Amino acid sequence: MEHPSHDSLLKHPNSITYESPYPLYALAISHTPHRVAVGSFLETFNNRVDVLSFDPETLSLKPHLPALSFDHPYPPTKLMFHPSASTPNLLASSGDFLRLWDLREHSAEPLSVLNNSKSSEFCAPLTSFDWNDVEPRRLGTSSIDTTCTVWDVERCVVETQLIAHDKEVYDIAWGEARVFASVSADGSVRIFDLRDKEHSTIIYESPHPDTPLLRLAWNKQDLRYMATILMDSNKVVILDIRSPTMPVAELERHAASVNAISWAPQSSRHICSAGDDTQALIWELPTVAGPNGIDPMSVYSAGSEINQLQWSAAVPDWIAIAFSNKMQLLKV
């Protein structure tokens, strides 16, 4: 595969664009040093992860090529750096398995390949995962085999595995140290507590039966709130876990399907959404929604459908989006 060159970086005062030789999907932003990892989306076995260094002061974004660029089997469905700034070089990826990578100064080394199947050397494809930022030894994965698996990544063992839904599980998000939620093709949002594994709480179901829920984001500044998106829908559904079943708000200003959502890391009332209408919208949630719904506070238009976004916890003035073969960092 060809490697991107330094000429593939375009800078504007409020955005930096990185152009890759291949379509991009997964992306992650680390704490310190600030790095951005991007994963290719090729419908073949051979895929790629590139790690870029980002300096928010000088607005520079430099590929660590070829040192921190590595082959990845199948397209990574998600990338995520270790949530603690004290472990900046650990990167996780999901796809055929959960994989951990050690990003050293001049190389990216595979640390472990974690298989949650007790009976096979193969694992059902993993749709997503989330790292527990309260207890970072815990990482939860979601799978098309209807399960969620909680790993102890320090010991590389399964802590617990739950049949979470009736159909494929598409996303997972941690709230507290022992509490996570998941969304599924069965159209439900469910909350699980590791202290009571026999039970889960359904806090929302698709208004149209069997409409899959694709993504889930838990508001880390106010754990009462989470957001989800439905397949082929222009809505972002905001939920309050204290009043299940009825959304507290529905954000409906996208002109096409929403693909990604991310809460602001430093504010409980701001969320970003992005979709097939090529737009990334930033919303400020009012204490009471008006009769005509809520308008976004800012709009950013990309060059094509946006399929991924991450709001950086380390540099909260920046949002990363992926569309086509580009990754863009936007200053908000």
Side-chain angles (χ1 to χ4, degrees):
M1 274 187 187
E2 8 165 7
H3 292 308
S5 67
H6 287 275
D7 302 334
S8 60
L9 304 175
L10 304 171
K11 281 196 282 192
H12 298 284
N14 293 319
S15 72
I16 312 170
T17 304
Y18 166 77
E19 203 163 323
S20 167
Y22 26 74
L24 297 177
Y25 175 69
L27 55 87
I29 307 174
S30 75
H31 282 267
T32 49
H34 300 316
R35 288 169 166 169
V36 184
V38 293
S40 67
F41 189 80
L42 299 166
E43 291 182 15
T44 60
F45 178 77
N46 296 315
N47 273 261
R48 196 104 188 131
V49 172
D50 293 325
V51 180
L52 322 168
S53 69
F54 168 51
D55 185 337
E57 301 300 318
T58 60
L59 297 186
S60 66
L61 188 65
K62 295 188 185 122
H64 283 283
L65 296 173
L68 294 188
S69 177
F70 55 90
D71 290 327
H72 192 280
Y74 303 104
T77 52
K78 185 165 182 177
L79 294 168
M80 196 172 181
F81 285 93
H82 192 284
S84 164
S86 62
T87 315
N89 298 326
L90 198 55
L91 177 71
S93 67
S94 55
D96 56 343
F97 297 103
L98 175 66
R99 296 169 189 270
L100 298 177
W101 310 84
D102 181 14
L103 304 181
R104 300 178 187 174
E105 196 173 346
H106 299 297
S107 67
E109 302 296 332
L111 278 181
S112 44
V113 178
L114 304 179
N115 178 0
N116 63 10
S117 172
K118 300 179 179 74
S119 57
S120 169
E121 62 187 283
F122 301 105
C123 166
L126 301 177
T127 51
S128 187
F129 69 92
D130 193 28
W131 219 316
N132 189 320
D133 54 6
V134 184
E135 289 190 354
R137 67 181 177 80
R138 275 200 185 106
L139 186 153
T141 59
S142 56
S143 170
I144 66 166
D145 69 1
T146 75
T147 67
C148 289
T149 304
V150 177
W151 287 90
D152 181 330
V153 291
E154 288 176 6
R155 294 165 52 225
C156 294
V157 296
V158 171
E159 184 177 332
T160 191
Q161 187 173 42
L162 303 167
I163 295 174
H165 289 265
D166 303 327
K167 294 186 176 177
E168 299 95 326
V169 190
Y170 287 140
D171 205 3
I172 183 172
W174 288 99
E176 303 166 40
R178 294 181 178 84
V179 178
F180 69 86
S182 56
V183 291
S184 160
D186 66 14
S188 67
V189 180
R190 302 187 187 195
I191 296 181
F192 299 84
D193 190 322
L194 296 180
R195 291 160 294 197
D196 180 12
K197 298 180 191 135
E198 301 303 310
H199 301 97
S200 65
T201 306
I202 297 178
I203 63 156
Y204 177 74
E205 292 186 281
S206 301
H208 308 293
D210 286 341
T211 301
L213 300 178
L214 299 182
R215 290 283 164 258
L216 180 69
W218 207 320
N219 186 329
K220 293 299 170 74
Q221 293 296 319
D222 187 340
L223 291 171
R224 294 173 298 179
Y225 296 102
M226 54 175 69
T228 187
I229 54 178
L230 294 85
M231 181 179 278
D232 299 329
S233 167
N234 71 329
K235 283 195 301 198
V236 179
V237 178
I238 307 295
L239 306 171
D240 181 336
I241 64 175
R242 296 167 302 177
S243 55
T245 68
M246 280 301 289
V248 290
E250 293 186 332
L251 312 178
E252 300 186 75
R253 296 295 185 260
H254 278 283
S257 302
V258 180
N259 296 325
I261 43 176
S262 185
W263 290 97
Q266 79 290 16
S267 159
S268 62
R269 292 178 55 209
H270 292 86
I271 190 169
C272 184
S273 58
D276 281 351
D277 58 359
T278 77
Q279 295 195 324
L281 306 180
I282 296 178
W283 313 78
E284 181 175 14
L285 300 178
T287 44
V288 180
N292 300 317
I294 302 164
D295 289 320
M297 58 183 288
S298 63
V299 177
Y300 176 81
S301 293
S304 61
E305 295 93 341
I306 303 171
N307 52 43
Q308 183 63 274
L309 79 94
Q310 296 290 330
W311 200 322
S312 170
V315 271
D317 293 346
W318 292 88
I319 290 174
I321 59 173
F323 57 96
S324 182
N325 66 329
K326 297 180 178 66
M327 187 279 297
Q328 229 165 34
L329 287 165
L330 312 174
K331 187 156 193 191
V332 295

